[in-house]
Amino acid sequence: MTYDLIAIGNPVYDLISTPRAQTSERILSGCSTNACLAAKRLGMKEVMLVGNVGPDFDRRFRLEMERYGIETINTGSKSPTTGFSLIYDDKGDRILQVIADAGKIPIRTVWPHCQQTRYLLLGPVLYEIDVETILDLIGSLPGEVFLDPQGLLRRLGRDRKVEHFCERDAFKKLVASVDFIKPNQLEAEVITGLQDHVESAKTLVEWGADIAVVTLGEKGSVACDRKACLSVPAYKTAAVDPTGAGDVYAGAFLAEYGRTGELGSSCLYASAAASIMVESIGPDFPVTDQEVRRRAGRISAELKAL
């Protein structure tokens, strides 16, 4: 295998406003993008990002990715680059509106590359990955598949605001085909219909995933495999911008799990990395292995079996 990680999902350029910070222009983000940035900074050497970037941001995107040391395949879009407007209130709730949508990724054209990686991360932001195509192709992968389902649960509603939905029968088939799945608490409820996040994680494992992690923001996360479930603490910090915390969790988790194969320590590592992401705004979050391990050590005593 050539790559440690290949992530599929449209890069985005967002406008973000929180009670503590706001962007003056659109900034690079996205599920797959942030996961790649975290994985690269935390030890994965060969990392590739695949997705559509429009002509409006193509040059800037290529220059940024070169600076971060991440290979890219721009699967081409004549549409403007995907972007969101994210406005957070004092409680952490947000209004999410679509600025632009770069459209579907032609998965079949890049699938030969996807067969050359240890981990394949599926991280769509707005249904740019076709589930039926993935189900048709996924059995040919020699590596393991990590699903961040956020973009498969979104559709445009009134005033271009994002609504959540789930085609549950198709989603069950997808869950049964992946090794890891990581929804947040709302997404887990949309997928399973269950409000209890522990039961949601257990259900996703019952549907076929080897490992299910449900992230809970400042309350930490819950992780289940076929043997046990764990309550994973969050590292307490002052959040400037929560955007991308779950994405960084995914990239950091795979970086550590690839080294150890151990669920608990990988979740602690991921939780610590996510705490660094929320302390700043944008793609230049200063995550390092040394600081992540320091923070993970500080919260390790709070890891509990459920």
Side-chain angles (χ1 to χ4, degrees), residues 3-7 32 34-47 117-121 144-146 180 182 211 213 246-274 285 287-290 292-293:
Y3 294 94
D4 298 306
L5 173 66
I6 293 178
S32 291
N34 291 324
C36 283
L37 290 170
K40 180 72 176 182
R41 292 168 185 167
L42 294 174
M44 283 189 165
K45 297 185 182 300
E46 301 298 331
V47 177
T117 185
R118 183 178 184 186
Y119 295 109
L120 177 68
L121 185 145
E144 295 181 280
V145 181
F146 187 109
F180 312 88
K182 185 206 64 64
I211 291 174
V213 178
D247 313 335
V248 169
Y249 190 112
F253 176 90
L254 287 176
E256 185 68 359
Y257 192 83
R259 290 185 283 256
T260 68
E262 207 282 313
L263 179 60
S265 62
S266 299
C267 288
L268 286 169
Y269 188 85
S271 185
F285 52 94
V287 66
T288 65
D289 179 73
Q290 181 179 10
V292 171
R293 293 195 185 282

Side-chain angles (χ1 to χ4, degrees), residues 224-261:
C224 296
D225 60 15
R226 300 186 187 282
K227 298 178 181 178
C229 288
L230 300 172
S231 173
V232 184
Y235 183 90
K236 292 180 175 57
T237 189
V240 172
D241 174 23
T243 308
D247 313 335
V248 169
Y249 190 112
F253 176 90
L254 287 176
E256 185 68 359
Y257 192 83
R259 290 185 283 256
T260 68

Side-chain angles (χ1 to χ4, degrees), residues 82-120:
T82 302
F84 297 92
S85 167
L86 302 94
I87 302 174
Y88 292 87
D89 64 19
D90 292 331
K91 298 178 181 179
D93 296 326
R94 73 182 184 187
I95 298 172
L96 183 64
Q97 292 180 289
V98 177
I99 298 172
D101 175 14
K104 295 277 189 179
I105 297 170
I107 296 293
R108 292 184 186 277
T109 65
V110 296
W111 202 250
H113 294 280
C114 298
Q115 293 175 309
Q116 302 176 50
T117 185
R118 183 178 184 186
Y119 295 109
L120 177 68

